[in-house]
Amino acid sequence: MLEVMDLPGNAHSVHGVGQRAFERVEDARRRLGSVFGVRPSRIVFTSGATEANALAMHGSRRWLASAAEHPSVLAWAAGTIPVDSHGVTCEPTGNADGYAVMLANNETGVIQPIADARAWATRRSARLHVDATQGPARMVLPDALWSADSVSLSAHKFGGPQGVGALVVGEHEAEPEREALLRGGPQERGRRAGTLNVAGIVGMAAAAEAAERGALRALRDELEDGLRGLGGAIIGERAQRLDNTSCVRFGDLDAADLVMALDLAGVQVSAGAACASGASERSHVLRAMGIPGSAVRISMGFATTAADVHGAIAALARILPAKDLK
Ligand code: PLP
């Protein structure tokens, strides 16, 4: 990324310097295609998953989205598909032009049935959009993922820079079948206008290649044993979940209160999604699962160590007795 930041070229300029930037972008596209096993031409670079979700879902189609989706998906849906008490999306009963089912939930880590969703959508001649933001490097990606009509990715979720992502469009999607969301230049074959974030794109490809899955699972299990030992209930624990995410509820204890107390102890967690933190509203994900009260989401990064996990449990063991646990 540092090397590319020194390149003055705009990847869409025809002069030599621009072409060198363009070559970096195309190299990153090829490398991402190879990591994910998709044709590079299916990749449309965006500013992240929020934009990728909008690019996939905007327009006149009527979408139904799983009730536990990220707000950037729910914003485009005409209605929701229920999730069960484990947080897993149920088969929809209503017809729609498209169904949006995320790969894994950002608050609970619960993995969703993408192969089933593909089958539901196909049976109804509808499109399937998958917000796969939480998946890479935190779970084995199912083959069915790449049979979706569109898949959103965000680099910073697998160790890359913030502010860059992609929409992977369908294998046989005719151009310009997908109407551009932003109007302007012809970048990304007319599918996404605007000067490309060359350094971000190169960083995204490098992160995808470097991301290794596996190390976090044992730490997550250790963390959850500790949380249960302190009286915590793990949300969605009977479902398949991401390697790095635990969502825990301590009776009636207010999650926002716990987030603040933990922060003072040097442990950063969130009540629900990071982007909803600060909002006093109850988590729509817990509501959709029929779970009362609030919960704390603890997610681990690639640099999290066993000592961090022990430190978090020790901090909670100090904090919880002082709270009025019912
Ligand atoms: N979708 C999910 C499931 C997420 O977890 C997030 C961010 O946390 C987003 C979408 C938005 O991604 P971005 O910040 O890249 O726009």
Side-chain angles (χ1 to χ4, degrees), residues 65-70 74 81 83 87 102 105-106 112 284-285 288-289:
S66 164
E69 293 293 306
H70 189 268
L74 287 173
I81 311 166
V83 299
M102 68 200 326
N105 185 266
N106 47 306
Q112 302 298 317
H284 71 284
V285 178
M289 293 171 74

Side-chain angles (χ1 to χ4, degrees), residues 48-51 53 70 72 102 104 106 131 133-134 154 156-157:
T50 299
E51 185 192 334
N53 287 332
H70 189 268
S72 60
M102 68 200 326
N106 47 306
D131 176 354
T133 303
Q134 291 285 331
S154 182
H156 71 105
K157 300 296 182 186

Side-chain angles (χ1 to χ4, degrees), residues 256-312:
D257 202 13
L258 202 48
V259 169
M260 263 184 279
L262 280 168
D263 189 27
L264 290 176
V267 181
Q268 284 77 44
V269 300
S270 57
C275 43
S277 306
S280 54
E281 231 177 82
R282 210 165 94 68
S283 154
H284 71 284
V285 178
L286 294 189
R287 220 180 320 122
M289 293 171 74
I291 294 173
S294 57
V296 168
R297 181 191 64 175
I298 306 178
S299 53
M300 294 182 290
F302 304 109
T304 303
T305 63
D308 296 329
V309 169
H310 301 157

